[in-house]
């Protein structure tokens, strides 16, 4: 049986990118594999969240995960900071991670550009912590979106390097996984390329959004002045809207607007209205379930306790074995 690990930062609500990039694949795998899903609250500390609302954010993300259909009886769902073994493995893996490779990481360069006032060491070593999350369960597959590809490459590098340094065959090589052949990148609504919680206002559609909020955001989505030639290649902002349709609309709807585009008769207002309604239909059951779960604290607490216990078992074993390999033996 293969081991699968995936996670999400606890920095904001779940959006369609998270769902189609990672969760949908995880759902398909949870009954046939040894699956772990966690809320990355240690990772969220790089942005210095307010202590008074950190806990509520973790709870919200956990509930949203459960509302998506992650089954705590099949998969182990836990909070990253409930597993201090991750912090120990992170420390140990940091010894074999080189500053040069961490500085070259695309997500680090992007963070420097966006948050020049807070370039902390946690940001630099973010990929090492992420590797620790994956290696702690000696995972084979990691369902993630396209934006995490480089982090997975680095995880393999750190795991392989550990194996080489200590002449062991301990960590398997984890791969970024999608049931389709390619990793997914769901575009945002503002023409910026990627749907993300830290992108601008109006970029992302969250599973918890109300119908009113969804309609408002979609109607504001960036478009152009329309096609100027029959059957022309779509510019990126328009292609993005079609990609979003691809995720939530019926094939007939997509071909209808595709034909309209090719014939130069398309009205973007109509396309957006349809897209908004399809998104509302898609997200409504999740929103309902989230609201229902949020009021069920006993259940949430039980899930978290049970998850921490199961994840601990695996984490403790790995750290014990890694310590032995390194030579940190008990007296
Ligand atoms: P995060 O919290 O940004 O996103 C969680 C998951 O959602 C995917 N995703 C997307 N997929 C497609 N299109 C998009 N627009 C889009 N936006 C987000 C991400 O690829 C990810 O799979 N570093 C990770 C969290 C993490 C993790 C891990 C993941 C920490 N440790 C170990 C897997 C394994 C992150 O920031 O994801």
């Amino acid at each position: 049986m293969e081991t699968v690990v995936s996670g999400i930062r606890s920095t904001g609500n779940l959006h369609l990118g998270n769902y189609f990039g990672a969760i949908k694949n995880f759902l398909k795998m949870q009954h046939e594999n040894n699956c772990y899903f966690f809320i990355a609250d240690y990772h969220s500390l790089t942005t210095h969240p307010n202590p008074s609302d950190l806990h509520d954010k973790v709870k919200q993300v956990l509930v949203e995960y459960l509302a998506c259909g992650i089954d705590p009886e099949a998969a182990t769902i836990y909070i990253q900071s409930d597993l201090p073994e991750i912090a120990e493995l992170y420390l140990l893996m940091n010894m074999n991670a080189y500053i040069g490779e961490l500085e070259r990481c695309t997500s680090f360069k992007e963070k420097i550009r966006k948050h020049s006032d807070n370039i902390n060491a946690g940001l630099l070593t973010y990929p090492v912590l992420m590797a620790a999350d994956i290696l702690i369960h000696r995972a084979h597959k990691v369902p993630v979106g396209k934006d995490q590809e480089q982090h997975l490459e680095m995880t393999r590098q750190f795991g392989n390097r550990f194996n080489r340094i200590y002449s062991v065959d301990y960590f398997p090589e984890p791969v970024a996984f999608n049931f389709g052949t390619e990793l997914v990148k769901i575009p945002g609504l503002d023409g910026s390329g990627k749907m993300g919680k830290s992108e601008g206002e109006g970029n992302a559609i969250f599973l918890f959004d109300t119908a009113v909020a969804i309609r408002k955001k979609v109607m504001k989505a960036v478009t152009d002045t329309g096609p100027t030639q029959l059957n022309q290649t779509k510019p990126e902002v328009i292609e993005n809207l079609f990609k979003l349709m691809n995720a939530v609309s019926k094939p007939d709807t997509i071909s209808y607007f595709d034909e309209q585009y090719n014939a130069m008769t398309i009205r973007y207002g109509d396309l957006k209205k349809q897209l908004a309604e399809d998104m509302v239909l898609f997200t409504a059951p999740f929103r309902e379930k989230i609201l229902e779960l949020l009021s069920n604290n006993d259940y949430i607490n039980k899930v978290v306790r049970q998850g921490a216990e199961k994840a601990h078992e695996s984490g403790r074993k790995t750290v014990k074995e890694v310590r032995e390999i390194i030579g940190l033996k008990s007296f």
Side-chain angles (χ1 to χ4, degrees):
M1 195 191 275
E2 288 191 306
T3 298
V4 177
V5 172
S6 199
I8 186 161
R9 272 170 303 149
S10 57
T11 43
N13 297 53
L14 256 68
H15 53 69
L16 291 176
N18 301 136
Y19 185 82
F20 289 105
I23 300 172
K24 196 173 164 208
N25 281 295
F26 189 88
L27 295 178
K28 286 199 216 164
M29 304 165 97
Q30 62 179 346
H31 294 286
E32 279 93 50
N33 298 276
N34 181 24
C35 285
Y36 295 90
F37 217 120
F38 68 95
I39 321 296
D41 56 347
Y42 279 150
H43 274 105
S44 78
L45 300 180
T46 56
T47 57
H48 303 169
N50 191 335
S52 62
D53 52 44
L54 181 62
H55 182 76
D56 282 347
K57 284 195 169 157
V58 171
K59 178 180 165 190
Q60 179 77 24
V61 175
L62 172 79
V63 161
E64 295 191 351
Y65 257 134
L66 294 170
C68 285
I70 292 194
D71 174 1
E73 296 307 320
T76 302
I77 176 160
Y78 63 99
I79 314 298
Q80 187 187 30
S81 65
D82 274 346
L83 221 65
E85 289 85 358
I86 291 177
E88 181 167 353
L89 187 61
Y90 166 57
L91 179 146
L92 299 173
M93 297 311 284
N94 262 323
M95 308 304 168
N96 311 327
Y98 298 107
I99 294 283
E101 63 191 338
L102 295 172
E103 281 175 342
R104 279 194 301 276
C105 177
T106 315
S107 63
F108 179 62
K109 288 195 214 153
E110 204 174 299
K111 295 257 167 63
I112 294 185
R113 202 166 40 78
K114 285 192 184 158
H115 310 284
S116 52
D117 55 332
N118 179 22
I119 309 168
N120 56 65
L123 275 181
L124 181 70
T125 56
Y126 186 108
V128 188
L129 181 53
M130 182 156 162
D133 293 327
I134 296 167
L135 298 173
I136 193 92
H137 303 300
R138 301 171 73 200
H140 304 96
K141 287 184 178 154
V142 188
V144 282
K146 179 107 183 118
D147 59 319
Q148 299 298 321
E149 203 168 27
Q150 190 182 30
H151 287 155
L152 258 295
E153 177 59 41
M154 293 174 85
T155 301
R156 281 193 289 279
Q157 187 113 10
F158 299 144
N160 285 337
R161 191 175 294 153
F162 177 93
N163 288 348
R164 232 181 7 257
I165 292 176
Y166 297 105
S167 306
V168 288
D169 188 14
Y170 186 68
F171 290 120
E173 276 202 332
V175 292
F177 183 80
N178 188 288
F179 275 103
T181 42
E182 287 196 16
L183 299 180
V184 172
K185 178 172 133 188
I186 297 289
L189 289 166
D190 59 1
S192 69
K194 186 190 129 184
M195 185 173 285
K197 48 198 158 211
S198 40
E199 312 302 321
E201 182 74 11
N203 162 288
I205 299 290
F206 298 100
L207 299 184
F208 198 49
D209 273 344
T210 59
V212 173
I214 293 177
R215 290 188 186 114
K216 202 166 150 197
K217 285 192 224 178
V218 176
M219 292 319 284
K220 280 195 185 158
V222 177
T223 53
D224 61 6
T225 50
T228 50
Q229 284 172 40
L230 292 172
N231 302 314
Q232 76 176 59
T233 310
K234 298 184 188 80
E236 197 182 347
V237 281
I238 305 303
E239 187 59 40
N240 284 351
L241 290 181
F242 275 88
K243 278 192 190 149
L244 288 167
M245 266 203 150
N246 233 344
V248 294
S249 303
K250 294 201 178 90
D252 284 357
T253 311
I254 303 162
S255 4
Y256 170 78
F257 285 102
D258 208 29
E259 280 160 25
Q260 296 278 315
Y261 187 85
N262 287 335
M264 293 168 58
T265 47
I266 192 155
R267 286 167 27 164
Y268 290 142
D270 293 347
L271 179 146
K272 287 182 183 178
K273 257 188 218 149
Q274 182 67 48
L275 179 60
E277 290 321 305
D278 290 341
M279 282 181 168
V280 169
L281 268 182
F282 182 81
T283 53
F286 293 113
R287 186 177 151 75
E288 219 169 279
K289 190 83 193 152
I290 293 166
L291 285 169
E292 184 192 315
L293 283 168
L294 273 176
S295 59
N296 198 342
N297 273 326
D298 286 349
Y299 175 69
I300 296 170
N301 293 343
K302 188 182 132 221
V303 166
V304 172
R305 267 200 311 274
Q306 185 179 303
E309 214 170 285
K310 281 206 266 173
H312 250 299
E313 226 173 273
S314 157
R316 217 177 289 140
K317 181 169 179 294
T318 303
V319 166
K320 182 170 174 284
E321 288 167 354
V322 165
R323 278 171 156 259
E324 274 167 21
I325 292 170
I326 290 179
L328 296 167
K329 298 197 174 135
S330 341
F331 282 84

